[in-house]
Amino acid sequence: MSIELDHTIVPSYDKLASAKLLAELLGVPWSPTALGPFAPVFVNEGLTLDFIQTDEDFPVYHFCFRVSQQTFDDILGRIKRAGISYRSSVRGPVDMRINTDYGGNMIYWNEPDGHQWEMLTVSYARQSA
């Protein structure tokens, strides 16, 4: 069996609101009543993001989702309908533009806790030969 990331914990000041928002934007299921202290977002069959409530300070995390062009278009539509600002570069200004520098489409947005989400259709980290 290959090594796969099963889940990771995402700290949040409001785990239910954060998990619900991400699940709605991605178009995936989530659970407000999971066992334990988590509000899980079921990204796919093998990956869960477990939001956990905290009052402590935490670093801003960065998560990147590689998706098909159709899924990109669907998620971008939900981001726009939700009135969420996005940008074309990781630390650039909110320009509401799509980055096409790597042969696909890519955007970044931040959620209320500050975490940075990235969505792309072509991986720049794993260039094909």
Tab-separated table of all heavy atoms in Angstrom, residues 40-100:
chain	number	residue	atom	x	y	z
A	40	PRO	N	-15.599	17.240	10.936
A	40	PRO	CA	-14.847	16.784	9.774
A	40	PRO	C	-15.458	17.208	8.441
A	40	PRO	O	-16.675	17.247	8.279
A	40	PRO	CB	-14.875	15.265	9.910
A	40	PRO	CG	-16.124	14.982	10.664
A	40	PRO	CD	-16.342	16.155	11.572
A	41	VAL	N	-14.571	17.523	7.502
A	41	VAL	CA	-14.942	17.757	6.107
A	41	VAL	C	-14.342	16.597	5.326
A	41	VAL	O	-13.131	16.372	5.357
A	41	VAL	CB	-14.389	19.101	5.593
A	41	VAL	CG1	-14.666	19.253	4.101
A	41	VAL	CG2	-14.993	20.257	6.380
A	42	PHE	N	-15.202	15.851	4.638
A	42	PHE	CA	-14.786	14.661	3.909
A	42	PHE	C	-14.426	15.062	2.477
A	42	PHE	O	-15.264	15.025	1.578
A	42	PHE	CB	-15.897	13.615	3.957
A	42	PHE	CG	-16.313	13.288	5.372
A	42	PHE	CD1	-17.492	13.784	5.894
A	42	PHE	CD2	-15.503	12.508	6.181
A	42	PHE	CE1	-17.875	13.497	7.206
A	42	PHE	CE2	-15.868	12.213	7.494
A	42	PHE	CZ	-17.059	12.712	8.002
A	43	VAL	N	-13.170	15.450	2.277
A	43	VAL	CA	-12.700	16.002	1.006
A	43	VAL	C	-12.839	14.978	-0.116
A	43	VAL	O	-13.270	15.299	-1.210
A	43	VAL	CB	-11.246	16.491	1.134
A	43	VAL	CG1	-10.714	17.007	-0.201
A	43	VAL	CG2	-11.153	17.577	2.204
A	44	ASN	N	-12.455	13.736	0.171
A	44	ASN	CA	-12.628	12.638	-0.778
A	44	ASN	C	-12.631	11.333	0.009
A	44	ASN	O	-12.625	11.364	1.239
A	44	ASN	CB	-11.568	12.670	-1.895
A	44	ASN	CG	-10.155	12.594	-1.361
A	44	ASN	OD1	-9.845	11.833	-0.450
A	44	ASN	ND2	-9.262	13.400	-1.931
A	45	GLU	N	-12.609	10.200	-0.687
A	45	GLU	CA	-12.698	8.902	-0.004
A	45	GLU	C	-11.539	8.665	0.950
A	45	GLU	O	-11.653	7.857	1.865
A	45	GLU	CB	-12.727	7.739	-1.010
A	45	GLU	CG	-13.758	7.823	-2.089
A	45	GLU	CD	-13.310	8.723	-3.247
A	45	GLU	OE1	-12.121	8.737	-3.624
A	45	GLU	OE2	-14.175	9.449	-3.758
A	46	GLY	N	-10.426	9.364	0.758
A	46	GLY	CA	-9.249	9.100	1.566
A	46	GLY	C	-8.737	10.251	2.398
A	46	GLY	O	-7.745	10.094	3.092
A	47	LEU	N	-9.371	11.410	2.340
A	47	LEU	CA	-8.862	12.569	3.075
A	47	LEU	C	-9.974	13.293	3.823
A	47	LEU	O	-10.990	13.663	3.229
A	47	LEU	CB	-8.172	13.563	2.127
A	47	LEU	CG	-7.668	14.856	2.777
A	47	LEU	CD1	-6.625	14.567	3.856
A	47	LEU	CD2	-7.118	15.801	1.732
A	48	THR	N	-9.733	13.497	5.101
A	48	THR	CA	-10.651	14.249	5.959
A	48	THR	C	-9.886	15.409	6.580
A	48	THR	O	-8.769	15.227	7.053
A	48	THR	CB	-11.211	13.349	7.079
A	48	THR	OG1	-11.841	12.217	6.497
A	48	THR	CG2	-12.209	14.098	7.937
A	49	LEU	N	-10.490	16.592	6.558
A	49	LEU	CA	-9.963	17.734	7.307
A	49	LEU	C	-10.796	17.846	8.568
A	49	LEU	O	-12.005	18.098	8.498
A	49	LEU	CB	-10.049	19.019	6.482
A	49	LEU	CG	-9.223	19.052	5.201
A	49	LEU	CD1	-9.407	20.382	4.483
A	49	LEU	CD2	-7.751	18.809	5.483
A	50	ASP	N	-10.168	17.636	9.715
A	50	ASP	CA	-10.853	17.667	10.999
A	50	ASP	C	-10.689	19.037	11.636
A	50	ASP	O	-9.611	19.370	12.154
A	50	ASP	CB	-10.283	16.600	11.940
A	50	ASP	CG	-10.684	15.200	11.555
A	50	ASP	OD1	-11.816	15.024	11.087
A	50	ASP	OD2	-9.867	14.276	11.741
A	51	PHE	N	-11.738	19.840	11.607
A	51	PHE	CA	-11.708	21.155	12.246
A	51	PHE	C	-11.899	20.968	13.744
A	51	PHE	O	-12.791	20.232	14.176
A	51	PHE	CB	-12.808	22.054	11.674
A	51	PHE	CG	-12.497	22.573	10.304
A	51	PHE	CD1	-12.672	21.776	9.185
A	51	PHE	CD2	-12.008	23.859	10.132
A	51	PHE	CE1	-12.383	22.243	7.922
A	51	PHE	CE2	-11.710	24.344	8.865
A	51	PHE	CZ	-11.898	23.531	7.758
A	52	ILE	N	-11.056	21.621	14.527
A	52	ILE	CA	-11.139	21.534	15.979
A	52	ILE	C	-11.238	22.941	16.552
A	52	ILE	O	-10.566	23.863	16.088
A	52	ILE	CB	-9.930	20.770	16.573
A	52	ILE	CG1	-10.159	20.506	18.062
A	52	ILE	CG2	-8.632	21.508	16.325
A	52	ILE	CD1	-9.207	19.484	18.653
A	53	GLN	N	-12.088	23.105	17.524
A	53	GLN	CA	-12.334	24.400	18.167
A	53	GLN	C	-11.208	24.715	19.141
A	53	GLN	O	-10.776	23.849	19.906
A	53	GLN	CB	-13.659	24.323	18.932
A	53	GLN	CG	-14.159	25.632	19.472
A	53	GLN	CD	-15.078	26.331	18.500
A	53	GLN	OE1	-15.613	25.727	17.583
A	53	GLN	NE2	-15.262	27.605	18.699
A	54	THR	N	-10.741	25.965	19.101
A	54	THR	CA	-9.735	26.410	20.053
A	54	THR	C	-9.884	27.908	20.294
A	54	THR	O	-10.385	28.633	19.437
A	54	THR	CB	-8.304	26.095	19.573
A	54	THR	OG1	-7.384	26.457	20.594
A	54	THR	CG2	-7.963	26.837	18.299
A	55	ASP	N	-9.465	28.333	21.470
A	55	ASP	CA	-9.394	29.762	21.780
A	55	ASP	C	-7.957	30.251	21.738
A	55	ASP	O	-7.691	31.439	21.913
A	55	ASP	CB	-9.991	30.039	23.162
A	55	ASP	CG	-11.487	29.793	23.205
A	55	ASP	OD1	-12.160	30.039	22.183
A	55	ASP	OD2	-11.984	29.354	24.256
A	56	GLU	N	-7.028	29.326	21.536
A	56	GLU	CA	-5.610	29.663	21.506
A	56	GLU	C	-5.213	30.216	20.138
A	56	GLU	O	-5.856	29.927	19.135
A	56	GLU	CB	-4.779	28.414	21.800
A	56	GLU	CG	-5.031	27.823	23.166
A	56	GLU	CD	-4.284	26.524	23.383
A	56	GLU	OE1	-3.498	26.123	22.498
A	56	GLU	OE2	-4.494	25.906	24.437
A	57	ASP	N	-4.138	30.996	20.128
A	57	ASP	CA	-3.581	31.445	18.850
A	57	ASP	C	-3.032	30.241	18.096
A	57	ASP	O	-2.555	29.276	18.706
A	57	ASP	CB	-2.454	32.451	19.077
A	57	ASP	CG	-2.957	33.782	19.604
A	57	ASP	OD1	-4.144	34.097	19.396
A	57	ASP	OD2	-2.154	34.507	20.229
A	58	PHE	N	-3.109	30.285	16.775
A	58	PHE	CA	-2.556	29.214	15.948
A	58	PHE	C	-2.018	29.811	14.660
A	58	PHE	O	-2.432	30.892	14.245
A	58	PHE	CB	-3.606	28.120	15.654
A	58	PHE	CG	-4.905	28.627	15.105
A	58	PHE	CD1	-5.049	28.958	13.768
A	58	PHE	CD2	-6.003	28.780	15.939
A	58	PHE	CE1	-6.249	29.416	13.264
A	58	PHE	CE2	-7.211	29.240	15.438
A	58	PHE	CZ	-7.333	29.561	14.106
A	59	PRO	N	-1.081	29.108	14.018
A	59	PRO	CA	-0.543	29.624	12.764
A	59	PRO	C	-1.567	29.482	11.642
A	59	PRO	O	-2.486	28.663	11.716
A	59	PRO	CB	0.664	28.721	12.498
A	59	PRO	CG	0.353	27.454	13.219
A	59	PRO	CD	-0.468	27.841	14.416
A	60	VAL	N	-1.377	30.271	10.617
A	60	VAL	CA	-2.200	30.147	9.416
A	60	VAL	C	-1.654	28.981	8.616
A	60	VAL	O	-0.453	28.911	8.332
A	60	VAL	CB	-2.147	31.452	8.589
A	60	VAL	CG1	-2.798	31.258	7.235
A	60	VAL	CG2	-2.814	32.587	9.361
A	61	TYR	N	-2.525	28.047	8.268
A	61	TYR	CA	-2.136	26.891	7.470
A	61	TYR	C	-2.506	27.132	6.012
A	61	TYR	O	-3.409	27.907	5.701
A	61	TYR	CB	-2.844	25.625	7.952
A	61	TYR	CG	-2.423	25.151	9.320
A	61	TYR	CD1	-3.286	24.380	10.084
A	61	TYR	CD2	-1.182	25.439	9.856
A	61	TYR	CE1	-2.919	23.917	11.336
A	61	TYR	CE2	-0.803	24.983	11.102
A	61	TYR	CZ	-1.674	24.219	11.839
A	61	TYR	OH	-1.309	23.763	13.070
A	62	HIS	N	-1.800	26.425	5.126
A	62	HIS	CA	-2.053	26.510	3.695
A	62	HIS	C	-2.435	25.116	3.204
A	62	HIS	O	-1.732	24.141	3.471
A	62	HIS	CB	-0.783	26.981	2.969
A	62	HIS	CG	-0.917	27.008	1.489
A	62	HIS	ND1	-1.204	28.162	0.795
A	62	HIS	CD2	-0.809	26.031	0.558
A	62	HIS	CE1	-1.258	27.885	-0.503
A	62	HIS	NE2	-1.027	26.593	-0.669
A	63	PHE	N	-3.554	25.024	2.511
A	63	PHE	CA	-4.027	23.767	1.936
A	63	PHE	C	-4.295	23.992	0.457
A	63	PHE	O	-4.919	24.985	0.088
A	63	PHE	CB	-5.323	23.303	2.604
A	63	PHE	CG	-5.185	23.033	4.067
A	63	PHE	CD1	-5.393	24.036	5.002
A	63	PHE	CD2	-4.845	21.769	4.522
A	63	PHE	CE1	-5.271	23.783	6.357
A	63	PHE	CE2	-4.714	21.506	5.875
A	63	PHE	CZ	-4.929	22.518	6.795
A	64	CYS	N	-3.836	23.075	-0.379
A	64	CYS	CA	-4.027	23.184	-1.818
A	64	CYS	C	-4.802	21.976	-2.327
A	64	CYS	O	-4.455	20.834	-2.004
A	64	CYS	CB	-2.677	23.268	-2.529
A	64	CYS	SG	-2.830	23.377	-4.321
A	65	PHE	N	-5.828	22.240	-3.119
A	65	PHE	CA	-6.650	21.187	-3.709
A	65	PHE	C	-6.429	21.169	-5.223
A	65	PHE	O	-6.626	22.185	-5.881
A	65	PHE	CB	-8.135	21.424	-3.430
A	65	PHE	CG	-8.445	21.549	-1.962
A	65	PHE	CD1	-8.709	22.793	-1.400
A	65	PHE	CD2	-8.472	20.429	-1.149
A	65	PHE	CE1	-8.997	22.907	-0.052
A	65	PHE	CE2	-8.754	20.538	0.202
A	65	PHE	CZ	-9.019	21.779	0.752
A	66	ARG	N	-6.014	20.015	-5.755
A	66	ARG	CA	-5.902	19.854	-7.204
A	66	ARG	C	-7.208	19.241	-7.691
A	66	ARG	O	-7.664	18.218	-7.176
A	66	ARG	CB	-4.712	18.969	-7.572
A	66	ARG	CG	-4.477	18.932	-9.077
A	66	ARG	CD	-3.204	18.195	-9.459
A	66	ARG	NE	-3.207	16.820	-8.979
A	66	ARG	CZ	-2.262	16.306	-8.197
A	66	ARG	NH1	-1.257	17.049	-7.772
A	66	ARG	NH2	-2.330	15.042	-7.824
A	67	VAL	N	-7.818	19.889	-8.665
A	67	VAL	CA	-9.146	19.496	-9.138
A	67	VAL	C	-9.187	19.510	-10.662
A	67	VAL	O	-8.311	20.079	-11.317
A	67	VAL	CB	-10.235	20.449	-8.575
A	67	VAL	CG1	-10.276	20.429	-7.050
A	67	VAL	CG2	-10.020	21.882	-9.068
A	68	SER	N	-10.229	18.906	-11.208
A	68	SER	CA	-10.449	18.963	-12.657
A	68	SER	C	-10.911	20.369	-13.042
A	68	SER	O	-11.325	21.160	-12.181
A	68	SER	CB	-11.511	17.945	-13.063
A	68	SER	OG	-12.787	18.361	-12.572
A	69	GLN	N	-10.877	20.662	-14.329
A	69	GLN	CA	-11.334	21.974	-14.783
A	69	GLN	C	-12.810	22.186	-14.443
A	69	GLN	O	-13.205	23.267	-14.008
A	69	GLN	CB	-11.102	22.157	-16.283
A	69	GLN	CG	-11.459	23.547	-16.777
A	69	GLN	CD	-10.632	24.632	-16.115
A	69	GLN	OE1	-9.404	24.581	-16.121
A	69	GLN	NE2	-11.287	25.630	-15.532
A	70	GLN	N	-13.629	21.166	-14.621
A	70	GLN	CA	-15.059	21.304	-14.311
A	70	GLN	C	-15.271	21.566	-12.819
A	70	GLN	O	-16.066	22.420	-12.437
A	70	GLN	CB	-15.844	20.057	-14.736
A	70	GLN	CG	-17.346	20.170	-14.478
A	70	GLN	CD	-17.978	21.330	-15.237
A	70	GLN	OE1	-17.881	21.395	-16.442
A	70	GLN	NE2	-18.621	22.256	-14.520
A	71	THR	N	-14.547	20.842	-11.975
A	71	THR	CA	-14.669	21.057	-10.533
A	71	THR	C	-14.167	22.440	-10.160
A	71	THR	O	-14.763	23.118	-9.320
A	71	THR	CB	-13.904	19.957	-9.763
A	71	THR	OG1	-14.464	18.679	-10.116
A	71	THR	CG2	-14.018	20.148	-8.266
A	72	PHE	N	-13.076	22.889	-10.798
A	72	PHE	CA	-12.567	24.245	-10.577
A	72	PHE	C	-13.665	25.265	-10.871
A	72	PHE	O	-13.938	26.156	-10.072
A	72	PHE	CB	-11.347	24.503	-11.465
A	72	PHE	CG	-10.697	25.848	-11.263
A	72	PHE	CD1	-9.616	25.974	-10.418
A	72	PHE	CD2	-11.162	26.974	-11.936
A	72	PHE	CE1	-8.998	27.214	-10.228
A	72	PHE	CE2	-10.569	28.208	-11.755
A	72	PHE	CZ	-9.481	28.329	-10.895
A	73	ASP	N	-14.291	25.127	-12.023
A	73	ASP	CA	-15.346	26.060	-12.417
A	73	ASP	C	-16.510	26.029	-11.428
A	73	ASP	O	-17.064	27.073	-11.066
A	73	ASP	CB	-15.849	25.743	-13.825
A	73	ASP	CG	-14.791	25.971	-14.902
A	73	ASP	OD1	-13.814	26.710	-14.652
A	73	ASP	OD2	-14.941	25.390	-15.996
A	74	ASP	N	-16.880	24.830	-10.975
A	74	ASP	CA	-17.983	24.694	-10.014
A	74	ASP	C	-17.643	25.367	-8.684
A	74	ASP	O	-18.456	26.106	-8.130
A	74	ASP	CB	-18.316	23.217	-9.776
A	74	ASP	CG	-18.879	22.523	-10.998
A	74	ASP	OD1	-19.318	23.215	-11.956
A	74	ASP	OD2	-18.880	21.280	-11.002
A	75	ILE	N	-16.449	25.096	-8.167
A	75	ILE	CA	-16.051	25.688	-6.883
A	75	ILE	C	-15.904	27.197	-7.009
A	75	ILE	O	-16.362	27.949	-6.136
A	75	ILE	CB	-14.748	25.039	-6.366
A	75	ILE	CG1	-14.990	23.563	-6.020
A	75	ILE	CG2	-14.204	25.795	-5.153
A	75	ILE	CD1	-13.719	22.780	-5.715
A	76	LEU	N	-15.295	27.666	-8.090
A	76	LEU	CA	-15.152	29.109	-8.289
A	76	LEU	C	-16.525	29.772	-8.338
A	76	LEU	O	-16.716	30.858	-7.771
A	76	LEU	CB	-14.351	29.414	-9.548
A	76	LEU	CG	-14.096	30.894	-9.823
A	76	LEU	CD1	-13.385	31.576	-8.660
A	76	LEU	CD2	-13.299	31.054	-11.119
A	77	GLY	N	-17.486	29.131	-8.972
A	77	GLY	CA	-18.846	29.673	-8.991
A	77	GLY	C	-19.418	29.800	-7.588
A	77	GLY	O	-20.053	30.812	-7.256
A	78	ARG	N	-19.189	28.789	-6.739
A	78	ARG	CA	-19.691	28.855	-5.356
A	78	ARG	C	-18.955	29.926	-4.556
A	78	ARG	O	-19.554	30.620	-3.732
A	78	ARG	CB	-19.566	27.481	-4.699
A	78	ARG	CG	-20.561	26.470	-5.264
A	78	ARG	CD	-20.624	25.181	-4.461
A	78	ARG	NE	-19.484	24.316	-4.651
A	78	ARG	CZ	-19.393	23.351	-5.566
A	78	ARG	NH1	-20.397	23.128	-6.415
A	78	ARG	NH2	-18.313	22.605	-5.638
A	79	ILE	N	-17.647	30.084	-4.799
A	79	ILE	CA	-16.874	31.138	-4.128
A	79	ILE	C	-17.446	32.510	-4.499
A	79	ILE	O	-17.661	33.368	-3.639
A	79	ILE	CB	-15.380	31.029	-4.492
A	79	ILE	CG1	-14.763	29.812	-3.787
A	79	ILE	CG2	-14.622	32.306	-4.148
A	79	ILE	CD1	-13.358	29.469	-4.254
A	80	LYS	N	-17.707	32.710	-5.777
A	80	LYS	CA	-18.261	33.993	-6.232
A	80	LYS	C	-19.647	34.233	-5.648
A	80	LYS	O	-19.935	35.346	-5.174
A	80	LYS	CB	-18.324	34.026	-7.764
A	80	LYS	CG	-16.964	34.145	-8.420
A	80	LYS	CD	-17.087	34.120	-9.934
A	80	LYS	CE	-15.767	34.303	-10.619
A	80	LYS	NZ	-15.890	34.278	-12.098
A	81	ARG	N	-20.512	33.203	-5.671
A	81	ARG	CA	-21.862	33.366	-5.121
A	81	ARG	C	-21.842	33.666	-3.625
A	81	ARG	O	-22.706	34.361	-3.111
A	81	ARG	CB	-22.718	32.137	-5.408
A	81	ARG	CG	-23.195	32.061	-6.848
A	81	ARG	CD	-24.231	30.984	-7.071
A	81	ARG	NE	-23.740	29.637	-6.840
A	81	ARG	CZ	-22.989	28.931	-7.697
A	81	ARG	NH1	-22.627	29.464	-8.851
A	81	ARG	NH2	-22.609	27.707	-7.403
A	82	ALA	N	-20.820	33.150	-2.913
A	82	ALA	CA	-20.686	33.403	-1.479
A	82	ALA	C	-20.065	34.768	-1.193
A	82	ALA	O	-19.977	35.181	-0.041
A	82	ALA	CB	-19.839	32.302	-0.834
A	83	GLY	N	-19.636	35.464	-2.242
A	83	GLY	CA	-19.043	36.788	-2.062
A	83	GLY	C	-17.647	36.748	-1.446
A	83	GLY	O	-17.226	37.703	-0.797
A	84	ILE	N	-16.927	35.662	-1.653
A	84	ILE	CA	-15.585	35.503	-1.081
A	84	ILE	C	-14.553	36.067	-2.056
A	84	ILE	O	-14.549	35.731	-3.236
A	84	ILE	CB	-15.304	34.017	-0.778
A	84	ILE	CG1	-16.262	33.532	0.311
A	84	ILE	CG2	-13.845	33.811	-0.385
A	84	ILE	CD1	-16.208	32.051	0.565
A	85	SER	N	-13.677	36.903	-1.532
A	85	SER	CA	-12.611	37.482	-2.348
A	85	SER	C	-11.534	36.448	-2.584
A	85	SER	O	-11.209	35.653	-1.705
A	85	SER	CB	-12.005	38.689	-1.631
A	85	SER	OG	-12.982	39.694	-1.453
A	86	TYR	N	-10.960	36.475	-3.776
A	86	TYR	CA	-9.879	35.559	-4.113
A	86	TYR	C	-8.812	36.314	-4.889
A	86	TYR	O	-8.987	37.467	-5.270
A	86	TYR	CB	-10.396	34.337	-4.883
A	86	TYR	CG	-11.068	34.654	-6.191
A	86	TYR	CD1	-10.357	34.649	-7.382
A	86	TYR	CD2	-12.431	34.962	-6.244
A	86	TYR	CE1	-10.985	34.936	-8.590
A	86	TYR	CE2	-13.056	35.243	-7.442
A	86	TYR	CZ	-12.327	35.228	-8.610
A	86	TYR	OH	-12.938	35.514	-9.799
A	87	ARG	N	-7.692	35.644	-5.081
A	87	ARG	CA	-6.564	36.294	-5.749
A	87	ARG	C	-5.816	35.288	-6.605
A	87	ARG	O	-5.984	34.076	-6.451
A	87	ARG	CB	-5.647	36.959	-4.726
A	87	ARG	CG	-5.043	36.012	-3.732
A	87	ARG	CD	-4.403	36.779	-2.572
A	87	ARG	NE	-3.849	35.843	-1.605
A	87	ARG	CZ	-4.575	35.200	-0.694
A	87	ARG	NH1	-5.865	35.379	-0.611
A	87	ARG	NH2	-3.988	34.366	0.145
A	88	SER	N	-4.949	35.806	-7.448
A	88	SER	CA	-4.213	34.968	-8.393
A	88	SER	C	-2.807	34.618	-7.916
A	88	SER	O	-2.127	33.834	-8.562
A	88	SER	CB	-4.136	35.653	-9.758
A	88	SER	OG	-3.482	36.901	-9.644
A	89	SER	N	-2.367	35.178	-6.793
A	89	SER	CA	-1.034	34.854	-6.270
A	89	SER	C	-1.111	34.619	-4.771
A	89	SER	O	-1.997	35.139	-4.093
A	89	SER	CB	-0.019	35.946	-6.605
A	89	SER	OG	-0.383	37.154	-5.995
A	90	VAL	N	-0.148	33.862	-4.288
A	90	VAL	CA	-0.200	33.392	-2.906
A	90	VAL	C	-0.210	34.530	-1.893
A	90	VAL	O	-0.922	34.458	-0.897
A	90	VAL	CB	0.939	32.373	-2.625
A	90	VAL	CG1	2.299	33.029	-2.697
A	90	VAL	CG2	0.740	31.671	-1.307
A	91	ARG	N	0.553	35.571	-2.122
A	91	ARG	CA	0.602	36.683	-1.179
A	91	ARG	C	0.246	38.017	-1.842
A	91	ARG	O	0.501	39.070	-1.289
A	91	ARG	CB	1.990	36.778	-0.547
A	91	ARG	CG	2.248	35.632	0.411
A	91	ARG	CD	3.517	35.836	1.200
A	91	ARG	NE	3.678	34.806	2.190
A	91	ARG	CZ	4.138	33.582	1.963
A	91	ARG	NH1	4.482	33.229	0.751
A	91	ARG	NH2	4.274	32.712	2.944
A	92	GLY	N	-0.320	37.931	-3.008
A	92	GLY	CA	-0.622	39.145	-3.757
A	92	GLY	C	-1.909	39.807	-3.310
A	92	GLY	O	-2.584	39.350	-2.392
A	93	PRO	N	-2.270	40.876	-3.995
A	93	PRO	CA	-3.502	41.590	-3.674
A	93	PRO	C	-4.733	40.783	-4.098
A	93	PRO	O	-4.651	39.915	-4.970
A	93	PRO	CB	-3.387	42.876	-4.505
A	93	PRO	CG	-2.548	42.468	-5.678
A	93	PRO	CD	-1.556	41.465	-5.138
A	94	VAL	N	-5.839	41.082	-3.485
A	94	VAL	CA	-7.110	40.474	-3.887
A	94	VAL	C	-7.480	41.089	-5.227
A	94	VAL	O	-7.911	42.233	-5.300
A	94	VAL	CB	-8.199	40.722	-2.825
A	94	VAL	CG1	-9.544	40.222	-3.311
A	94	VAL	CG2	-7.807	40.069	-1.510
A	95	ASP	N	-7.253	40.327	-6.300
A	95	ASP	CA	-7.469	40.865	-7.640
A	95	ASP	C	-8.616	40.182	-8.379
A	95	ASP	O	-8.938	40.553	-9.508
A	95	ASP	CB	-6.183	40.784	-8.469
A	95	ASP	CG	-5.622	39.371	-8.581
A	95	ASP	OD1	-6.302	38.402	-8.177
A	95	ASP	OD2	-4.479	39.229	-9.073
A	96	MET	N	-9.226	39.162	-7.751
A	96	MET	CA	-10.364	38.446	-8.345
A	96	MET	C	-10.013	37.924	-9.736
A	96	MET	O	-10.831	37.907	-10.636
A	96	MET	CB	-11.610	39.339	-8.387
A	96	MET	CG	-11.974	39.975	-7.052
A	96	MET	SD	-12.382	38.787	-5.782
A	96	MET	CE	-14.097	38.511	-6.162
A	97	ARG	N	-8.750	37.461	-9.875
A	97	ARG	CA	-8.285	36.938	-11.149
A	97	ARG	C	-7.808	35.497	-10.980
A	97	ARG	O	-7.460	35.065	-9.888
A	97	ARG	CB	-7.145	37.798	-11.688
A	97	ARG	CG	-7.627	39.223	-11.991
A	97	ARG	CD	-6.540	40.111	-12.521
A	97	ARG	NE	-6.030	39.553	-13.772
A	97	ARG	CZ	-4.815	39.812	-14.234
A	97	ARG	NH1	-3.991	40.580	-13.569
A	97	ARG	NH2	-4.422	39.275	-15.370
A	98	ILE	N	-7.749	34.777	-12.092
A	98	ILE	CA	-7.285	33.396	-12.135
A	98	ILE	C	-5.864	33.382	-12.681
A	98	ILE	O	-5.588	33.987	-13.721
A	98	ILE	CB	-8.209	32.539	-13.023
A	98	ILE	CG1	-9.613	32.486	-12.425
A	98	ILE	CG2	-7.635	31.144	-13.202
A	98	ILE	CD1	-10.651	31.875	-13.356
A	99	ASN	N	-4.962	32.709	-11.981
A	99	ASN	CA	-3.580	32.563	-12.424
A	99	ASN	C	-3.517	31.411	-13.429
A	99	ASN	O	-3.996	30.312	-13.148
A	99	ASN	CB	-2.691	32.269	-11.211
A	99	ASN	CG	-1.224	32.175	-11.551
A	99	ASN	OD1	-0.839	31.693	-12.613
A	99	ASN	ND2	-0.401	32.625	-10.629
A	100	THR	N	-2.911	31.666	-14.585
A	100	THR	CA	-2.758	30.631	-15.610
A	100	THR	C	-1.281	30.391	-15.949
A	100	THR	O	-0.958	29.815	-16.983
A	100	THR	CB	-3.519	31.021	-16.897
A	100	THR	OG1	-3.011	32.281	-17.371
A	100	THR	CG2	-5.006	31.132	-16.642
